[in-house]
Amino acid sequence: MLGAVTDVRSDALLPARAQRSVHRGGLGAPTPPSVLDVLEPLLPEVRKPAQYVGGEHNMVTRDWAAADVRWLLCYPDTYEVGQPNQGIQILYEILNGRATTLAERSYAPWLDLEERMRERGIPTFSLEHHLPLWAFDVFAVTLPHELGHTNLLNLLDLGGVPHRSALRDEADPIVLVGGHAAFNPEPLAPFIDAAVMGDGEEVVLEIDDVVRAAKRDGLTRAELLRALADVEGVYVPALYEPRYTDDGRLSRTVPVATGLPTLVPKRTVQDLEEWPYPQRQIVPMTETVHERFSVEIFRGCTRGCRFCQAGMITRPVRERRPETVQRLVEQGVADTGFEEVGLLSLSSADHSAIGPIARALGDTYEGTVTSLSLPSTRVDAFNVTLSNELTRNGRRSGLTFAPEAGSERMRAVINKMVSEEDLLRTAQVAYSQGWRHIKLYFMVGLPTETDEDVAAIAELGIAVYRIARTHGKANKVTLSVGGFVPKPHTPFQWAAQDTPEELQRKLALIRQLIRTHDGIKLRTNDPEEGVIEGLLARGDRRVAAAVERAWQLGARFDGWHEVPTLDLWRRAMDETGVELAWYSQRERDEDEVLPWDHLDSGLEKGWLWEDWQDARTAVQLDDCRWSPCYDCGVCPGLDLVHDTGYQPGALLPVMPSAPAGLGGPAAGSLPTSAERYAAGSTRGVTR
Amino acid sequence: MSVRYRVRWSKEGRTRFVSARDQSSIWERAIRRADLPIAYSEGFTPHARVSFPDALPVGVASTGEYAELTFAAPIRADDDLARLSATLPEGMDILTYTEVPAGAPKLASLLRATLWELVWPPVDTTALTTLLGRRCATMLAATSHEVVRHRHDGDRTLDVRPAVVSLAVATGPTPDGAGARTTLRAVLRNDAPTIRPADLLVALCDGEVASPALVRRVAQGVPTADGLVEALGGELEMVRTDVVVEAA
Ligand code: B12
Ligand code: SF4
């Protein structure tokens, strides 16, 4: 064929290891080859090509030669899912804020592009300058959950970097992980060089310093890893060794070098006000799943839902001041042009000044096309009021609440303090104020669950639907039901996970009970989906063999329905002798050593165990933001006063310990924590 | 008092992979960053009143994109549109603009034909230029030329010839000056049935010639014998850049 370029494989992009080091030099090092020219011709053939080109507003481009430490930050999923993540954007801005540090971003190529990249020898690349992974000093990957593990291996391999850390040398980047799933990195231990637990703002700068010094002083890889292990919060798996008892249980994970902590602490940023990032947020040129200017209004959560890993490991609560939130939003909207603002956190309605924050933003953007959103699933009338405030301009279509369990008893077990009466009252308020659709989140497969508890989900849905109908024939209810996956560092870390068959049976029970109600929609996740997540969440270092094998068999994008990988995983588990039932479907006892016991999330194991015992007897705990401290272990090590409003002590009135929503006063007059606070003080709020 | 402007803009470099769908939000956000008083549609999900006459296939470069913007208040076009151009992603630039008087004909009616440019990689250049040149001459000499367009919803036979106004093939230097490459330029009518460069290539040399390295929509406007008159600026864009093969 005339005009055809025949030599499609370009060896220049994946040069021999000996030729790579030159690009890894300090200031003035030559820029590695860009993959863009070879990539571009492939793009018209693949799905959503704009995800691979970068070039977004607020992208930072710094010359390779102008930096002496170079990071490639990665969310190991597609751009459309990963780009909105705030963690990566924070680290990007902080690292690029340094004079001689460069940070670029990368995401996982979809299968269609990966196939073509492998054919042509195109390595994992950055979006800024389309530079190959192998040339960077640090490959920093965020793991918000477990379903990116095979993608991580794949990105390394595709990027010309040996996927096992033992096979890497000075010519390879340091592979660093962080994010929530890094709180149990054991199933990834042979593949990563280091894991960071907790907040990344300060620690990345310390790591940057260590890498810079190592390059300057010509440290070997082993010396660099040892130096990284001295940074507080950095865990280097190769320097720790799990020991097992004869019956295959873990006996301890111990440091194998001197001077290492036996308990690796997590990092906690004490004052979010000092880290007002990300400010210059990336504006994607192609559709993503979460397009908005996001401001994290607080970090942490004290509600203490026993199933919730995020809530447990991000303690304590640290709030951003209302005036800072207002400033970040105003500057951010003007800078990015986003038409939507998201007030982000784990439970945004719980900010102690959320009322004034919402009102001030509502005033600022009233009559404009800028809309505000608050990801809150709190079940109370105050949440409806807040949502009303935020939708002054727009349509009241749907509200989401998360009672998480159907029966009062089950909610006591998981410590979700919502009464049925309260939920129904909230539904009543919402539908009467013009909301037309309520979505309710539930889980099945929770510890101690009986069929009655499961049936109660359907009954609650039906009760809400009856209320919906009295306010409009077209009003709807959606029940969204997922299978519970026990996670490390939570009171449920000892619990057994239901098998997919059992979850299937429970979902069928719900489906059967609501079948006569057309206006109730049931949305379920495939129960099989939790299998891999469960194995990886609580797996130990031996599970790594299954991760590697599953990836070799072709597993990637484990969280995607379009890519069914469970059969590959089952085969991988068979071949590597990893027994799913032992890892996932077994209840652990108090003495069992857990694979993450040497990693300190701040919560004492003894406290978690007691809470687990309380769970089984359905004893509830109040939110520790408003009630006396339970000594969960998080706060004492920090310079934080035990209450956690954004100005400790000075503004926070002492709260009565009755949390919102345990029966009591009627809706509307229900004193929620935030309202109580707001009534006490409006100082410092821009109005 | 609303005012309307028409702009000609480019979609080059990385931005040529942006889909028509994504293009609207890119413009809306850039307009908000430039703080221009764009008008909004009514309703619960108001949209900025920016319209694009037609979609460009993903991957195709262009210096011939157009848009119509309606502002709710007068703007200082020179400054304001320059600011907008500067805040659009790199590769998207506003090239010219005109204010639209009341009662002006629809933008689409001014865009009667398109000048396309197809550039091959610097491979087999002489043979390629000769082959394409011959085929172009044959096509121009004929009165009809049918091709089959394969679509997921079935095959369709199209006559390409009526859309073809003029064709020109040339050999030009590569950007780095190190080699030579073949360029095909074509003025095609926009009237239905729309013929795209891909259809033209099937008609000229199906299976014999590799895909071009780059396809560009150079400009749109009113066709003339040897090119077209660009819709907003009125300058003449010649189909020929060299004298290898030519006819009209
Ligand atoms: C926005 C959001 C989304 C968005 C955007 C994608 C994303 N993950 O960001 C969308 C809607 C796509 C999404 C989807 C999902 N999400 Co989500 N999401 C969030 C949310 C609300 C904010 C994420 C965020 O930006 N956080 C703020 C930043 C600052 O925190 P961070 O990312 O943890 O980063 C900090 C540190 O962890 C650390 N760090 C992070 N990475 C790294 C890496 C290195 C090297 C270092 C040194 C440090 C470091 O530094 C950062 C600054 O301190 C969080 C809840 C929350 N508030 O965190 C849930 C959350 C992360 N999502 C969660 C889940 C379950 C999902 C889904 C699986 C839901 C589903 N069933 O489909 C999908 C998965 C999507 C996918 N395939 O990846 C869970 C994770 C659960 C867990 N760990 O047990 C969370 C915690 C919500 C929750 N309460 O359960 N999500
Ligand atoms: S409210 Fe409960 S589920 Fe939500 S983040 Fe806090 S602890 Fe987790």
Side-chain angles (χ1 to χ4, degrees), chain A residues 429-442:
Chain A
V429 171
Y431 285 115
S432 70
Q433 294 182 1
W435 295 88
R436 302 217 296 267
H437 183 185
I438 287 183
K439 213 186 222 174
L440 298 170
Y441 279 177
F442 294 101

Side-chain angles (χ1 to χ4, degrees), chain A residues 1-5 40 43-44 49-50 53-55 57 59 61 127-130 283-287 291 333-339 369-370 393-395, chain B residues 13-19 21-23 25-26 28-30 32-33 40 44-46 58-59 87 89-90 120-121 123-124 127-128 131 207-211:
Chain A
M1 202 186 281
L2 285 181
V5 181
E40 279 199 334
L43 293 181
V53 298
H57 179 73
M59 174 175 93
T61 51
L127 290 185
E128 282 71 9
H129 290 106
H130 291 88
V283 185
M285 287 208 294
T286 182
E287 201 178 3
E291 285 181 41
V333 167
D335 172 63
T336 60
F338 276 123
E339 45 294 285
V369 297
T370 306
N393 301 337
R395 173 171 30 190
Chain B
R14 315 193 203 211
T15 60
R16 67 187 201 275
F17 297 101
V18 165
S19 69
R21 222 192 127 171
D22 294 335
Q23 181 173 300
S25 52
I26 290 179
E28 286 192 26
R29 287 170 187 164
R32 287 164 55 88
R33 290 197 293 271
Y40 281 90
F44 273 129
T45 44
V58 169
T87 192
E90 193 181 324
W120 274 266
V123 179
D124 307 329
L128 200 57
L131 175 82
E208 293 171 73
V209 170
S211 305

Side-chain angles (χ1 to χ4, degrees), chain A residues 144-147 180-181 184 306-310 312-313 484-495 497 530 533-534 536-538 594 596 608:
Chain A
H145 51 77
E146 295 77 11
L147 298 176
H180 296 180
N184 177 21
R306 290 177 175 130
F307 55 84
C308 178
Q309 184 191 39
M312 293 287 162
I313 63 178
F484 167 62
V485 178
K487 294 276 168 114
H489 305 285
T490 68
F492 287 175
Q493 64 183 355
W494 289 277
Q497 183 178 351
E533 189 185 344
L536 296 176
R538 291 189 297 168
L594 304 171
W596 50 91
L608 289 173

Side-chain angles (χ1 to χ4, degrees), chain A residues 60-101:
Chain A
V60 180
T61 51
R62 168 165 289 169
D63 275 350
W64 191 261
D68 53 1
V69 179
R70 308 176 185 97
W71 293 64
L72 185 60
L73 307 179
C74 172
Y75 190 103
D77 207 313
T78 59
Y79 179 86
E80 69 179 321
V81 172
Q83 188 283 325
N85 176 259
Q86 298 286 293
I88 289 289
Q89 294 198 58
I90 291 172
L91 305 184
Y92 183 70
E93 205 167 315
I94 290 179
L95 288 166
N96 278 318
R98 287 205 144 178
T100 60
T101 300

Side-chain angles (χ1 to χ4, degrees), chain A residues 300-312 314-315 345-347 350 377-378 402 404 414-416:
Chain A
C301 180
T302 43
R303 296 218 148 212
C305 304
R306 290 177 175 130
F307 55 84
C308 178
Q309 184 191 39
M312 293 287 162
T314 59
R315 290 177 176 207
S345 75
L346 285 170
S347 176
D350 285 348
T377 56
R378 205 173 94 173
E404 307 287 5
I414 63 175
N415 204 37
K416 196 87 198 182

